[in-house]
């Protein structure tokens, strides 16, 4: 893992300009939470400045951010009892190995143990508790003194106003906005006439300092350290002698939020190799986290090692930040394209000035819907903050409003369907062509015939176009009424291809209900949700008859989504009726229908209910690596179906809630994490034997 190289400064003039740009960016960020540079651009600039100063020490300017906490921009008037320093950075395994060697040379022995934890993308604060009551909240500031932001007490989750014991101590950590809090904050902010925050980090920084707002914005705290205050009692004073991992455990026991209950819980390891494994594990989970991280923090765990390593003026010498590639950048919004999906949804897509993010070039980003564009006040020509994590489609967080020049132009919304010219239904946030699925008939049928739905082999897009153009199908239910003579009359349809297609369609007729329901393409549902719905209701007629309250009994369906599913199933009723008439299967194998109202509720197996008798009853199962033996030909979706038929719940990530990991060849970091957490691990052959009764030729 590496990041973009440092900015190259060729002479004193370019160096001076870089120092001024860095100073302005830091000042803007620490004053209002806004900056003209994204985090990666500032980091590259600061490294370029440091490199130039190392080569030309006589040219170093006083305004340089090098060696200063917060780049020298932050101010404060509340002294820290112990300096609240920043962290130095490394960007590769080689740089990390060099750093660890320097630490061990400094202390004169190998580091006994290392702590590995996420570097949370928020604002560092110190929370001072006196006799168990939260008394004062202070920003990092310049490291020696910070700003009093105690007015924010009561708005930060995870930072209780009273601890579970009447101790006096200082807890240090990061205040940030989760993805959900960020969306909520921008909704509230724009409703009150404010510009949306560019990203969660800026939102947290600006919100923490804001006073006298007519609205409240929620944030979250994660502790990463604790220390005694001058008037602390004996019990708190012993914090100085505890290993770092035990400090976090102690703080969590007092009721303060730490990362311990997240997918990236801190871990203590003994070797550099184990540290790097931990770095890879945390980095692999980055895209799935509900909050931002921009690296991994590695610390010497023992207090003795920390004391002997010491600290510099800017950073401790016993801790380092292993930075990850940037997942957000600032670039220009050049245009907006309007695309129509298979269900008739009209989706806007941003056309961007190409920018490299997380190792790939990004030229497009999602814009969700017209209401989202309006809420964010996006304009053509805007400088926008673009976010990308893992394989997730890049999205625009917000315009960087303070960089506007006045030449930006409003985004024009379509007046008719861009695909067929029909009228647009604008009654909901997501606009839709009034022709619905008929607007994109080929896409709708191709989706239904896809591998994870009906899996009709030989029915690709080209063949679907041919069937639609010939007037043989008006929806995917018509596939089941195709006859041999009419297919043979089509071009490029010989006897063999015709018979193969009809055989594949006949096989699809017996697919489980979960596949059939997924083929309907109900908005707000997909493969896993379709399986949950099918297993809960067991038959299609029960699904169609379900009201909003009944649908909310399905795991993962809230009131809003339930209402949408009910509405769409009414619309799809004629299609469902055609499927029934064509003899398509409408039941889910092994599923038990829910009890009638007034009877005992169906149990999920955790307390000995019906699914407890199944081999995976009440278990959460993760699959990783290449399957072999009886499982070799199963896709990941088919494996998930198998897990759920056997009574379990499929998941994509390993956590403390994981009951079983099925580890095939090249299992990688998920196996390592399962071993660390003590999760049961099964080889493909062992798992196949466990669920043998549920292994069927067609899943």
């Amino acid at each position: 893992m590496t990041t973009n190289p440092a900015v190259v400064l060729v002479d004193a003039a370019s160096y001076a300009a870089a120092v001024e740009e860095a100073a302005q960016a830091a000042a803007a960020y620490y004053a209002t939470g806004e900056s003209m540079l994204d985090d990666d651009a500032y980091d590259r600039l600061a490294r370029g400045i440091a490199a130039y100063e190392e080569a030309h020490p006589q040219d170093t300017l006083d305004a340089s951010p090098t060696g200063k906490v917060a780049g020298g921009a932050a101010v404060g008037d509340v002294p820290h009892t112990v300096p609240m320093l920043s962290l130095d950075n490394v960007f590769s395994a080689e740089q990390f190995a060099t750093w660890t060697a320097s630490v061990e040379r400094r202390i004169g022995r190998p580091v006994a143990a290392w702590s590995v934890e996420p570097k949370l993308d928020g604002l560092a604060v110190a929370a001072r508790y006196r006799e168990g009551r939260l008394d004062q909240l202070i920003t990092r500031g310049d490291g020696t003194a910070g700003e009093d932001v105690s007015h924010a007490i009561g708005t930060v989750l995870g930072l209780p106003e009273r601890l579970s014991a009447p101790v006096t101590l200082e807890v240090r950590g990061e205040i940030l906005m989760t993805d959900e809090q960020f969306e909520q904050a921008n909704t509230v902010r724009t409703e009150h006439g404010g510009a949306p925050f560019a990203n969660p980090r800026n939102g947290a920084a600006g919100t923490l300092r804001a006073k006298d707002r007519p609205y409240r914005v929620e944030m979250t705290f994660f502790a990463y350290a604790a220390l005694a205050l001058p008037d602390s009692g004996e019990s708190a004073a012993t914090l100085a002698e505890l290993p770092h991992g035990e400090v976090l455990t102690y703080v969590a026991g007092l009721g303060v939020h730490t990362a311990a209950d997240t997918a990236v819980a801190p871990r203590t390891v003994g070797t550099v190799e184990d540290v790097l494994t931990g770095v890879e594990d945390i980095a692999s989970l980055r895209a799935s986290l509900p909050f931002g991280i921009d690296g991994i923090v590695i610390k010497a765990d023992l207090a003795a090692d920390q004391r002997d390593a010491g600290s510099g003026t800017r950073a401790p010498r016993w801790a380092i930040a292993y930075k990850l590639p940037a997942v957000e950048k600032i670039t220009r919004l050049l245009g907006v394209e309007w695309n129509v999906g298979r269900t008739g949804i009209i989706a806007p897509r941003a056309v961007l000035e190409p920018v490299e993010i997380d190792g790939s070039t990004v030229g497009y980003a999602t814009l969700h819907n017209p209401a989202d564009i309006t809420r964010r006040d996006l304009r053509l020509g805007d400088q926008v903050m673009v976010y990308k994590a893992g394989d997730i489609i890049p999205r625009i967080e917000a315009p960087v409003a303070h960089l506007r020049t006045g030449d930006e132009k409003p985004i024009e919304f379509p007046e008719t369907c861009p695909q067929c010219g029909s009228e647009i239904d604008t009654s909901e946030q997501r606009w839709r062509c009034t022709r619905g699925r008929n607007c994109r008939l080929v896409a709708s049928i191709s989706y239904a015939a896809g591998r994870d739905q009906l899996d009709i082999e030989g029915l690709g897009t080209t063949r679907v176009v041919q069937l639609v153009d010939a007037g043989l199908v008006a929806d995917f239910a018509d596939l089941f009424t195709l006859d041999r003579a009419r297919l043979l009359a089509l071009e490029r349809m010989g006897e063999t291809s015709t018979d193969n297609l009809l055989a594949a369609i006949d096989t699809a007729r017996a697919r489980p209900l979960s596949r059939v329901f997924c083929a309907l393409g109900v908005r707000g549902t997909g493969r896993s949700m379709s399986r949950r719905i099918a297993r809960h209701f067991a038959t299609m007629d029960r699904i169609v008859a379900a009201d909003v309250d009944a649908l909310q009994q399905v795991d993962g369906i809230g009131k809003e989504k339930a209402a949408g599913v009910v509405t769409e199933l009414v619309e799809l009723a004629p299609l469902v009726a055609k499927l029934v008439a064509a003899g398509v299967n409408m039941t889910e194998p092994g599923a038990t229908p829910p009890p009638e109202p007034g009877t005992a509720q169906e149990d999920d197996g955790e307390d000995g209910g019906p699914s407890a008798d199944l081999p995976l009853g009440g278990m959460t199962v993760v699959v990783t690596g290449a399957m072999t033996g009886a499982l070799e030909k199963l896709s990941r979706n088919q494996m998930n179906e198998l897990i759920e038929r056997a009574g379990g719940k499929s998941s994509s990530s390993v956590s403390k809630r994981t009951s079983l990991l099925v580890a095939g060849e090249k299992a990688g970091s998920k196996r390592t994490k399962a071993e660390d957490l003590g999760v049961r691990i099964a080889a493909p052959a062992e798992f196949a034997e466990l669920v043998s009764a549920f292994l069927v030729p067609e899943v």
Side-chain angles (χ1 to χ4, degrees), residues 4 175 181 187 221 232 254 272-273 316 351 361 391 443 468 487 504 545 552 560 589 612 629 647 655 693:
N4 290 341
I175 286 181
Q181 288 171 337
T187 299
F221 177 82
S232 296
L254 294 173
V272 170
E273 291 73 21
V351 181
T361 300
D391 295 327
V468 170
L487 286 175
Q552 286 184 83
E560 184 176 345
S655 70

Side-chain angles (χ1 to χ4, degrees), residues 632-648:
E632 183 175 5
K633 295 183 179 180
L634 300 188
S635 68
R636 195 62 89 230
N637 185 47
Q638 290 171 323
M639 283 292 294
N640 291 339
E641 290 177 342
L642 174 60
I643 289 166
E644 292 174 15
R645 283 202 310 277

Side-chain angles (χ1 to χ4, degrees), residues 196-238:
F197 294 119
N199 56 35
R201 182 184 65 254
N202 289 8
T207 297
L208 189 63
R209 294 182 175 87
K211 297 180 181 179
D212 302 323
R213 277 182 176 167
Y215 57 91
R216 284 165 63 101
V217 172
E218 192 176 81
M219 297 173 287
T220 298
F221 177 82
F222 287 88
Y224 61 64
L227 54 120
L229 291 172
D231 53 347
S232 296
E234 182 179 347
S235 60
T238 61

Side-chain angles (χ1 to χ4, degrees), residues 139-150:
T139 65
R140 184 201 304 275
D142 64 0
T144 60
E147 178 184 353
D148 191 318
V149 288
S150 300

